[in-house]
Amino acid sequence: MMTKINQTSLVLIRGDITREQVDAIANAANERLMGGGGVDGAIHRAGGPAIAAECSAIRAKQGGCPTGQAVITTGGNLPAKHVIHTVGPIWRGGTAGEAELLASCYRESLRLAVEHGIKTIAFPSISTGVYGYPVAQAAVIALNAIRQFLKAHDGLDEVRFVLFDDATYGAYENALLDMGV
Ligand code: AR6
């Protein structure tokens, strides 16, 4: 599924983000940037030790990455040149600022991408695995945050969601259809 927001294509596909040929892929990281399971584990495995080495340097300099923020490293052995690590909120029932923090992940990742001259970026569904964010709600927040950003900023050719399973893909498809873009 695909739509256009100003100059930027917004694309939803099913797949494994570690295989995407884009300038940057986003990673659903944790605050310590220590790697982990889910998409984070897959990215570190496929990208090799250069990614963890840069995460470690960021940790030494600034302690990690707070929830809702983003940092950038090399893509190591990945087809993508860069990884933008962003830390989604852990779902605590919806009243702990989760929605704003999740929107911030997408905004900050895109801001960093534009700052680094990145033209194509792929996102996984941040927070909807281990962190437990209900995917139907997360999809609406993600797509709205991206739409708002793209309405205000030029420079990106494509923003791609690479969704790992049918249920997640379906949730993003429904959210995009409901937005009427
Ligand atoms: N490509 C695309 N999406 C994937 C892939 C992949 N290769 N692998 C998993 N997903 P999660 P979170 C999907 O748990 O909820 C880690 O341990 C997955 O099906 O990876 O933000 C970190 O270190 C789901 O739809 O991220 C943190 O501690 C989505 O990616 C914590 O998990 C996100 O699931 C972050 O949890």
Side-chain angles (χ1 to χ4, degrees), residues 15-18 28-30 35-42 88 124-132 162-165 168:
D16 174 351
I17 202 165
T18 64
N30 55 63
V39 71
D40 196 4
S125 176
I126 293 159
S127 280
T128 66
V130 175
Y131 281 180
V162 182
L163 305 163
F164 207 45
D165 56 75
T168 305

Coordinates of all heavy atoms in Angstrom, one line a residue, residues 15-18 28-30 35-42 88 124-132 162-165 168, ligand 1:
G15 N 7.5 -7.5 5.8 CA 8.8 -8.0 5.5 C 9.7 -7.9 6.7 O 9.3 -7.6 7.8
D16 N 11.0 -8.2 6.5 CA 12.1 -8.2 7.5 C 12.9 -6.9 7.2 O 13.5 -6.8 6.2 CB 12.9 -9.5 7.3 CG 14.1 -9.5 8.2 OD1 14.4 -8.5 8.8 OD2 14.8 -10.5 8.2
I17 N 12.9 -6.0 8.2 CA 13.5 -4.7 8.0 C 15.0 -4.8 7.8 O 15.6 -3.9 7.1 CB 13.2 -3.8 9.1 CG1 13.3 -2.3 8.7 CG2 14.0 -4.1 10.4 CD1 12.7 -1.3 9.6
T18 N 15.7 -5.9 8.2 CA 17.1 -6.0 8.1 C 17.5 -6.2 6.6 O 18.7 -6.0 6.3 CB 17.7 -7.2 8.9 OG1 17.2 -8.4 8.4 CG2 17.3 -7.1 10.4
A28 N 13.8 -0.4 17.0 CA 13.0 -0.3 18.3 C 14.0 -0.7 19.4 O 14.0 -1.9 19.8 CB 11.8 -1.2 18.2
A29 N 14.7 0.2 19.9 CA 15.8 -0.1 20.9 C 15.3 0.1 22.3 O 14.1 0.3 22.6 CB 17.0 0.9 20.6
N30 N 16.3 0.0 23.3 CA 16.0 0.2 24.7 C 16.9 1.4 25.2 O 17.8 1.7 24.5 CB 16.1 -1.0 25.6 CG 17.5 -1.6 25.4 OD1 18.5 -1.0 25.7 ND2 17.6 -2.8 24.8
G35 N 21.1 -3.6 22.8 CA 20.6 -4.7 22.0 C 19.5 -5.5 22.8 O 19.3 -5.1 24.0
G36 N 19.0 -6.5 22.2 CA 17.9 -7.2 22.9 C 17.3 -8.2 22.0 O 17.9 -8.8 21.1
G37 N 16.0 -8.5 22.2 CA 15.3 -9.4 21.4 C 14.6 -8.7 20.2 O 15.0 -7.6 19.9
G38 N 13.6 -9.3 19.6 CA 12.8 -8.6 18.6 C 13.6 -8.0 17.5 O 14.6 -8.6 17.1
V39 N 13.1 -6.9 17.0 CA 13.8 -6.3 15.8 C 15.2 -5.8 16.2 O 16.1 -5.9 15.3 CB 12.9 -5.2 15.2 CG1 12.8 -4.0 16.1 CG2 13.3 -4.9 13.8
D40 N 15.4 -5.4 17.4 CA 16.7 -4.9 17.9 C 17.7 -6.1 17.7 O 18.8 -5.9 17.2 CB 16.5 -4.5 19.4 CG 17.7 -3.7 19.9 OD1 18.6 -3.3 19.1 OD2 17.6 -3.4 21.1
G41 N 17.4 -7.3 18.2 CA 18.3 -8.4 18.1 C 18.6 -8.7 16.7 O 19.7 -9.0 16.3
A42 N 17.5 -8.7 15.8 CA 17.7 -9.0 14.4 C 18.6 -8.0 13.7 O 19.5 -8.4 12.9 CB 16.3 -9.1 13.7
G88 N 10.9 3.3 22.1 CA 9.5 3.5 22.3 C 9.1 3.3 23.8 O 9.9 2.8 24.6
P124 N 10.1 -0.1 11.7 CA 9.3 -1.2 12.1 C 8.2 -0.6 13.0 O 8.1 0.6 13.1 CB 10.3 -2.0 13.0 CG 11.1 -0.9 13.7 CD 11.2 0.2 12.6
S125 N 7.3 -1.5 13.5 CA 6.2 -1.0 14.4 C 6.8 -0.9 15.8 O 6.8 -1.9 16.5 CB 5.1 -2.0 14.3 OG 4.1 -1.6 15.2
I126 N 7.2 0.3 16.1 CA 7.9 0.6 17.4 C 6.9 0.3 18.6 O 5.7 0.7 18.5 CB 8.5 2.0 17.4 CG1 9.6 2.1 16.4 CG2 9.0 2.4 18.8 CD1 9.9 3.5 16.0
S127 N 7.4 -0.3 19.6 CA 6.7 -0.6 20.9 C 5.6 -1.7 20.9 O 5.1 -2.0 21.9 CB 6.0 0.7 21.5 OG 7.0 1.5 22.1
T128 N 5.3 -2.2 19.7 CA 4.2 -3.1 19.7 C 4.5 -4.6 19.9 O 3.7 -5.5 19.7 CB 3.3 -3.0 18.4 OG1 4.1 -3.4 17.3 CG2 2.9 -1.6 18.2
G129 N 5.8 -4.9 20.2 CA 6.2 -6.3 20.5 C 6.4 -6.4 22.0 O 5.5 -6.4 22.7
V130 N 7.7 -6.6 22.4 CA 8.0 -6.7 23.8 C 7.4 -5.6 24.7 O 7.0 -5.9 25.8 CB 9.6 -6.7 24.0 CG1 10.0 -6.8 25.4 CG2 10.2 -7.9 23.2
Y131 N 7.3 -4.4 24.2 CA 6.9 -3.3 25.0 C 5.3 -3.2 25.1 O 4.8 -2.4 25.8 CB 7.4 -2.0 24.5 CG 8.9 -1.7 24.9 CD1 9.6 -0.6 24.5 CD2 9.6 -2.6 25.8 CE1 10.9 -0.3 25.0 CE2 10.9 -2.4 26.2 CZ 11.5 -1.3 25.8 OH 12.8 -1.0 26.2
G132 N 4.6 -4.0 24.3 CA 3.2 -4.3 24.6 C 2.2 -3.2 24.2 O 1.0 -3.3 24.6
V162 N 8.0 -1.4 7.4 CA 8.3 -2.8 7.1 C 7.7 -3.6 8.3 O 8.3 -3.7 9.4 CB 9.8 -3.0 6.9 CG1 10.0 -4.5 6.5 CG2 10.3 -2.1 5.8
L163 N 6.6 -4.3 8.0 CA 5.8 -4.9 9.1 C 6.0 -6.4 9.0 O 5.9 -7.0 7.9 CB 4.4 -4.4 9.0 CG 4.3 -2.8 9.0 CD1 3.0 -2.3 8.5 CD2 4.7 -2.3 10.4
F164 N 6.2 -7.0 10.2 CA 6.7 -8.3 10.2 C 5.7 -9.4 10.1 O 6.0 -10.5 9.7 CB 7.4 -8.5 11.6 CG 8.5 -9.5 11.6 CD1 9.5 -9.5 10.6 CD2 8.7 -10.4 12.6 CE1 10.5 -10.4 10.6 CE2 9.7 -11.3 12.7 CZ 10.6 -11.3 11.6
D165 N 4.4 -9.1 10.4 CA 3.4 -10.2 10.4 C 2.1 -9.6 9.9 O 1.9 -8.4 9.8 CB 3.2 -10.8 11.8 CG 2.9 -9.7 12.8 OD1 1.7 -9.2 12.8 OD2 3.8 -9.3 13.6
T168 N 0.0 -7.1 12.2 CA 0.6 -5.8 12.3 C 0.4 -5.0 11.0 O 0.0 -3.8 11.0 CB 2.1 -5.9 12.6 OG1 2.3 -6.6 13.8 CG2 2.7 -4.5 12.8
Ligands
AR6_1 N1 11.7 -6.7 10.8 C1 10.6 -6.0 11.0 N2 9.9 -6.0 12.1 C2 10.3 -6.9 13.1 C3 11.4 -7.8 12.9 C4 12.1 -7.6 11.7 N3 13.2 -8.4 11.4 N4 11.6 -8.5 14.0 C5 10.5 -8.2 14.9 N5 9.8 -7.2 14.3 P1 10.0 -5.4 19.3 P2 9.4 -3.1 21.1 C6 8.6 -6.6 14.8 O1 9.6 -6.4 20.4 O2 8.0 -3.6 21.4 C7 13.9 -5.4 22.4 O3 14.4 -6.4 23.3 C8 7.8 -7.2 15.9 O4 7.0 -8.3 15.3 O5 11.1 -5.7 18.5 O6 9.6 -1.7 20.8 C9 14.6 -4.0 22.6 O7 15.9 -4.2 23.0 C10 6.9 -6.1 16.3 O8 5.8 -5.9 15.4 O9 10.1 -3.9 19.9 C11 13.7 -3.4 23.7 O10 14.2 -3.8 25.0 C12 7.8 -4.9 16.2 O11 8.9 -5.3 15.4 C13 12.4 -4.0 23.4 O12 12.6 -5.2 22.7 C14 8.4 -4.3 17.5 O13 8.6 -5.4 18.4 C15 11.6 -3.0 22.5 O14 10.3 -3.5 22.3

